[in-house]
Amino acid sequence: MQIEWRLRKVMASRDVWTATQLRELLIQRTGFELSLQSVDALIKKQPVQVKVATLQALCTTLRCTPNELFGFDAPRDVSLVESDTTESRGEQ
């Protein structure tokens, strides 16, 4: 399963385009302070880990849910065994 970090997409849908804008909104709406470098890294790179406090601040600031920030690419269910099509139709 692949997990996609969608912060940039969520920001764009809220007309937030830069790390500076996001940082200012974080401070205004939640009082949560991150360095500009940390905010920029969250926007540009998929994080290895995200603290719950950071996730809560991002969701409150952008008025979104964690489900919007994370996308999941579920693997397709693929059988490794081919079924006999004549048996599955009841033919013999």
Side-chain angles (χ1 to χ4, degrees):
M1 174 190 316
Q2 294 290 329
I3 298 175
E4 178 188 6
W5 180 238
R6 297 181 176 168
L7 177 59
R8 187 182 296 250
K9 291 178 186 178
V10 173
M11 287 172 57
S13 71
R14 272 70 169 175
D15 290 324
V16 179
W17 302 104
T18 66
T20 301
Q21 284 178 308
L22 181 57
R23 183 175 186 274
E24 289 172 5
L25 283 174
L26 279 164
I27 294 167
Q28 289 172 3
R29 294 182 179 170
T30 65
F32 191 81
E33 290 195 43
L34 285 173
S35 70
L36 187 56
Q37 293 81 9
S38 294
V39 175
D40 191 56
L42 281 172
I43 294 169
K44 291 182 177 176
K45 296 185 255 176
Q46 173 132 344
V48 175
Q49 62 184 1
V50 179
K51 291 182 180 181
V52 172
T54 304
L55 185 60
Q56 287 174 328
L58 287 170
C59 288
T60 300
T61 298
L62 296 170
R63 297 180 175 109
C64 67
T65 66
N67 287 343
E68 291 174 89
L69 290 174
F70 294 99
F72 301 95
D73 181 21
R76 294 184 302 177
D77 186 21
V78 178
S79 175
L80 298 177
V81 179
E82 290 186 18
S83 63
D84 183 8
T85 56
T86 56
E87 285 183 14
S88 63
R89 286 190 236 141
E91 299 174 13
Q92 291 184 358

